[in-house]
Amino acid sequence: LPAAAAPARRRAGGAAALVGASGSTGVSTANASGVSGAILGGFEFTTATVNLTSTVNAKLGANADVSAGTNVTVSANSALNGAGVADVAAGGIVGYGDGDAYLTLNNTVGALIGSGAQVTAGQDVVVSATSDQMAASNTESVGGGGIAGADADTTAQLWHSTKVDIG
C-alpha cells in the first residue's frame, strides 16, 4: 500500500497564511506538520502550541503633581496576536493521524492615576486602556488505509483584563 500523501497546504488565508510569511506580520505563530506511512501501520501526531502573555501599564504615581497647558494623557494599549497550524497525514493497513493546535493568550492592560495625585490640564485629562486579542488556527488531519482514523482539534483560550483606575 502506498504511504499517505501529505495534506495539501492552503495558503489563502487564516493562520496558514501567516506561517512562513515574509517580513513581520505582528503575529506569533507555531507550525507543526507530519507524515507517516508503512505497509502495516502509520501513526502520526503533531502539536502546535502558542502561549503569549503581555502586561502593559501606564501609571501616574501616588501623590504626583502634574500640570500641563493643554492635555494630560495616561494611556496603555496592547495587541496580542497568535496563530497555530497543525497538519498531519498517516497511512498503512492501519493509519491514524492526529493534529492539534493550542493557543493561550493572556493580555493585561491598565492605566492608573495614583491616590493623592494632582492633575491640572488647560484642556483635557484622558485616562484610557485598550486591549486587543486575536487567535487564529488551521488544523488538518488525514488518515488512509484499510482501517483509518483522523482527528484535528484546536483549543484557544483568551484571557484579558483591561482597566482604568483613578485614585
Side-chain angles (χ1 to χ4, degrees), residues 58-66 74 111-119 125 127 164-167:
K59 297 179 182 179
L60 187 57
N63 301 314
D65 189 357
V66 176
V74 178
L112 166 72
I113 294 182
S115 64
Q118 300 294 316
V119 180
V125 175
V127 183
V164 169
D165 189 7
I166 299 177

Side-chain angles (χ1 to χ4, degrees), residues 127-138:
V127 183
S128 67
T130 59
S131 65
D132 243 343
Q133 295 78 227
M134 185 277 300
S137 176
N138 288 351

